Amino acid sequence: MNESRTAASVGATERAAPARSSDLAIETHGLVKRFGHRSAVEGIDLAVPRGSVFGFLGPNGSGKTTTIRVLLGLASANSGDIRVLGREMPQALASVLPGVGALVEGPGFYTFLSGTGNLMRLDAADPHASSSTRRQRVHDALERVGLSHAAGKKVRAYSLGMKQRLGLANAMLRPRELLVLDEPTNGLDPQGTREVRNLVRSLAAGGTTVFVSSHLLAEVEQMCSHVGVMSAGRLVAQGPIEELRSAGQAHVVVQTPDVNLASQVLTRLGLVPGEAPGTGSPWGTTAVLGTGINGHVPEEIVAALVAEGVRVRGFTVENASLEERFVSLTGEGFDVVG
Amino acid sequence: MLSAKANGPTREGAVRPGLGWALLGSELAVLFRRLRTWAMLIALAAVPILIAVAVKLSSRPTAPGRGPLFLDRITQNGLFVAVTALVVCVPLFLPFTVGVVAGDTIAGEANLGTLRYLLIAPAGRIRLLLVKYAGAVAFCLAATATVAASGALAGVVLFPVGPVTLLSGDTISVGESSLRSLLIAAYITVSLLGLSAIGLLISTFTDVPVGAMAATVVLSVVSQVLDNLPQLEWLHPWLFSHHWLSFADLLRQPISWTSFGENALLQAGYIAVCGALAYAKFSNKDVLS
Ligand SMILES: Nc1ncnc2c1ncn2[C@@H]1O[C@H](COP(=O)(O)OP(=O)(O)OP(=O)(O)O)[C@@H](O)[C@H]1O
Ligand SMILES: [Mg+2]
């Protein structure tokens, strides 16, 4: 377990090294944030390429939100260097933040104001935002997240998902170079989740870098080009999503009634056979799982099986899911590291 | 005119950063659109009306020197209602409402979760503190103005109005006496500025607005209690409530500005000290709400 962690971090550093600072939207070196004596973030080296959709993964309490707070200057780091959009933070906060839209740990709004009223207020807080286009931009942002019809309603009467959408609208009040979204689909319905994915894709297509934290792997797999994995305050892996996925091993699933024979063949080929959940086909097929294809081409494996007389009723090669990779990096335990 | 796009590196919807008056406008709009603010102002407006009605209904004339300052004069001249009501509100009602607004400034935003969004907008920490304080000052002004206006109205409606005899024995016209009432309202507004700064300071220390409000109100009471203990005479000139009721000078002919000046100086001192402390605290604070 520990070996794989170290290996992954080393790999990450090697990958990050060639990127020049100007290509990175977010860059940290040895970022540490402590609460009292406990460190919530323990020396992470983030490298988020410009134009990427960067999925920031990690179990509960692994330090994602804390990292985001430090990046945005809400909290100060105990040590480490931070550059956002190429400028030193927190010194350049005032000039960097207008180019950054963010959703941090859920929405926060004035419950006694309407959706429009809230966005007008938050936009007015930005001295760089033009007051003459304010109303129009607020209107457009609300439309973009599908809140036009609830724009005049008091936020007190909003559902959780509606507030989350309003939070997203706030992040998009102006064209941004960087969007930082902390669990943006939290509380959204399936349509809302899909819309957020599409929104993120279209923003990324327009050149915006999106840094999105999540613990929903499926979501990250569907929209991210890069991933960073946090575990107990450390960044245990980061890089393009394919690299992270291919670091895991592919599986071969053979469906056959001749389980023992198939297992022998797979073992001879250097695979580690196991029992995969059988599928209830009319012929009572049972599946055998081979872990890792070990450099074999899939058709070789099929040929070897057939040559030994194994009745192959189904054969699939499954790429390592990000989930397995995630679990192997962050550990199986359900308990939050506290 | 250049269009926004032709303006070099600025992007759509972006302008060169101004002084950010928009945030102040928005702060005042949010404060005065809030139901709570209205409830407090209405309660303050009710005080002079209650006093006027009670005096009107009671058959026995108030003996001079009993009850709040000037209470005995109301029946002779309605113009005294406003001043009497201000005197009644100074010890508790006004500090209470000001404590609620000042204590809510930063802690209230933290509690709602809007503080982090204001800061990443970016409002700027210093600018936000200044705007928040300006909002509290606006409320002080609105609160005393409400009491004075409601008192003037109640006085005119329920009692005869005529020239006023001052503490110095001189008589002034109705117009001039209204002006004096406004001066007293201004004096009391200034009196509340120190307390507002204290509320702002306390508000930077917590994410629980009710705590900050209560602490501010309690401090205003403590200060007045200490001001009444003869053993602590050395402390009295430094208490922010020390000059709260010393506006009698404004009811002399000619007006003596000494107490106004002393009060203003003391309040300015509190604003400077509490403002500096609030800045020191807030500019380094981790916003984790
Ligand atoms: N205000 C705080 N005071 C003390 N410790 C804190 C505070 N906020 C967070 N922590 C600690 O910092 C660690 C990281 O918390 P953080 O909120 O960054 O996790 P996260 O990755 O965002 O988790 P989640 O997926 O649940 O949102 C946790 O161990 C938490 O207990
Ligand atoms: Mg979080």
Side-chain angles (χ1 to χ4, degrees):
Chain A
M1 181 67 252
N2 264 331
E3 280 161 46
S4 79
R5 276 194 197 190
T6 337
S9 338
V10 169
T13 330
E14 277 165 10
R15 273 195 294 279
R20 280 175 300 120
S21 293
S22 54
D23 301 332
L24 297 175
I26 300 174
E27 185 184 8
T28 71
H29 290 291
L31 176 63
V32 175
K33 176 66 191 174
R34 277 190 286 270
F35 292 113
H37 293 296
R38 272 212 61 238
S39 25
V41 176
E42 289 179 46
I44 66 172
D45 300 330
L46 267 176
V48 178
R50 276 189 197 257
S52 65
V53 178
F54 191 100
F56 196 42
L57 280 165
N60 292 135
S62 55
K64 304 182 296 291
T65 302
T66 306
T67 306
I68 287 174
R69 282 184 194 279
V70 173
L71 290 176
L72 297 174
L74 290 174
S76 52
N78 291 91
S79 66
D81 302 320
I82 308 166
R83 293 177 81 84
V84 176
L85 299 175
R87 274 161 287 176
E88 204 77 37
M89 294 287 261
Q91 293 83 337
L93 213 58
S95 62
V96 169
L97 285 183
V100 181
L103 184 68
V104 185
E105 197 152 67
F109 291 109
Y110 305 93
T111 48
F112 50 88
L113 292 182
S114 66
T116 308
N118 269 286
L119 294 192
M120 297 286 285
R121 158 101 170 143
L122 291 174
D123 194 62
D126 180 357
H128 302 258
S130 148
S131 54
S132 55
T133 57
R134 182 163 297 140
R135 194 158 280 285
Q136 187 59 41
R137 284 182 292 113
V138 166
H139 177 265
D140 294 347
L142 285 168
E143 193 155 53
R144 230 171 151 177
V145 298
L147 272 183
S148 295
H149 295 295
K153 230 182 181 178
K154 294 256 188 297
V155 168
R156 188 184 295 122
Y158 275 27
S159 69
L160 172 63
M162 287 161 83
K163 284 187 208 154
Q164 192 77 11
R165 286 166 187 249
L166 190 58
L168 285 167
N170 173 47
M172 297 185 304
L173 273 175
R174 301 220 339 248
R176 312 283 194 185
E177 280 178 72
L178 171 66
L179 273 184
V180 177
L181 305 175
D182 192 7
E183 297 183 20
T185 55
N186 190 16
L188 290 187
D189 50 27
Q191 294 97 306
T193 313
R194 262 175 69 111
E195 280 162 34
V196 167
R197 275 204 304 270
N198 293 337
L199 211 62
V200 166
R201 285 202 197 102
S202 74
L203 287 165
T208 306
T209 310
V210 186
F211 182 82
V212 51
S213 95
S214 178
H215 41 236
L216 299 177
L217 290 148
E219 186 177 291
V220 167
E221 277 196 283
Q222 285 180 58
M223 64 184 180
C224 295
S225 61
H226 290 67
V227 211
V229 180
M230 291 287 287
S231 174
R234 296 186 181 282
L235 188 64
V236 290
Q238 98 177 304
I241 196 161
E242 309 81 40
E243 274 181 43
L244 202 71
R245 214 189 263 134
S246 61
Q249 298 220 307
H251 296 157
V252 173
V253 180
V254 184
Q255 287 184 2
T256 173
D258 311 317
V259 175
N260 287 336
L261 192 54
S263 293
Q264 285 167 20
V265 176
L266 291 176
T267 312
R268 204 167 346 111
L269 290 171
L271 307 185
V272 187
E275 191 104 351
T279 50
S281 89
W283 308 288
T285 312
T286 322
V288 180
L289 183 77
T291 309
I293 58 174
N294 251 4
H296 293 284
V297 197
E299 55 265 33
E300 260 176 47
I301 303 173
V302 184
L305 287 166
V306 174
E308 290 295 326
V310 176
R311 287 168 287 170
V312 178
R313 287 182 178 162
F315 184 88
T316 26
V317 181
E318 287 177 358
N319 275 327
S321 74
L322 201 57
E323 184 174 344
E324 287 162 31
R325 186 74 186 124
F326 180 74
V327 169
S328 79
L329 285 168
T330 59
E332 285 276 1
F334 177 71
D335 285 347
V336 171
V337 184
Chain B
M1 281 300 287
L2 289 169
S3 79
K5 283 213 177 82
N7 248 339
T10 56
R11 293 162 52 99
E12 187 192 324
V15 291
R16 227 154 280 197
L19 285 173
W21 291 107
L23 182 57
L24 181 59
S26 145
E27 176 65 26
L28 295 178
V30 168
L31 178 62
F32 287 105
R33 230 185 280 159
R34 219 173 161 168
L35 200 64
R36 189 179 69 195
T37 310
W38 279 101
M40 291 193 300
L41 291 179
I42 289 170
L44 284 172
V47 172
I49 296 173
L50 282 179
I51 292 174
V53 170
V55 169
K56 181 90 183 170
L57 294 183
S58 76
S59 45
R60 271 182 302 133
T62 318
R66 290 201 54 204
L69 204 55
F70 311 119
L71 190 63
D72 51 319
R73 306 241 209 141
I74 290 178
T75 43
Q76 300 144 38
N77 198 331
L79 290 176
F80 279 104
V81 175
V83 179
T84 308
L86 282 170
V87 171
V88 167
C89 288
V90 161
L92 198 60
F93 293 136
L94 282 170
F96 179 84
T97 55
V98 168
V100 167
V101 171
D104 195 46
T105 45
I106 301 295
E109 300 280 357
N111 183 251
L112 287 171
T114 42
L115 183 56
R116 59 176 185 270
Y117 288 110
L118 287 173
L119 290 182
I120 58 188
R125 297 196 181 208
I126 303 171
R127 201 161 66 97
L128 188 60
L129 265 187
L130 289 175
V131 163
K132 281 288 171 186
Y133 187 67
V137 170
F139 179 81
C140 293
L141 196 63
T144 47
T146 302
V147 177
S150 153
L153 210 69
V156 167
V157 170
L158 295 176
F159 301 102
V161 167
V164 171
T165 311
L166 291 176
L167 298 176
S168 53
D170 299 87
T171 303
I172 55 170
S173 67
V174 174
E176 170 141 26
S177 74
S178 313
L179 204 68
R180 298 284 176 113
S181 300
L182 283 183
L183 265 183
I184 292 176
Y187 181 97
I188 293 174
T189 305
V190 171
S191 293
L192 295 170
L193 298 186
L195 181 64
S196 302
I198 292 172
L200 181 76
L201 171 60
I202 296 174
S203 198
T204 59
F205 278 86
T206 172
D207 294 348
V208 187
V210 184
M213 294 173 191
T216 311
V217 175
V218 165
L219 269 183
S220 80
V221 173
V222 167
S223 173
Q224 292 177 79
V225 169
L226 294 182
D227 205 19
N228 277 320
L229 296 179
Q231 292 86 344
L232 295 176
E233 198 141 3
W234 55 271
L235 183 66
H236 293 171
W238 302 100
L239 292 169
F240 61 89
S241 65
H242 186 60
H243 299 289
W244 275 9
L245 285 170
S246 340
F247 48 77
D249 278 359
L250 299 177
L251 294 175
R252 294 182 209 284
Q253 190 76 302
I255 294 181
S256 157
W257 293 97
T258 326
S259 55
F260 197 106
E262 280 176 1
N263 185 31
L265 196 66
L266 180 70
Q267 302 302 327
Y270 270 91
I271 295 170
V273 172
C274 293
L277 291 175
Y279 165 71
K281 170 69 190 169
F282 189 55
S283 58
N284 294 314
K285 184 182 171 158
D286 279 356
V287 175
L288 301 169
S289 56

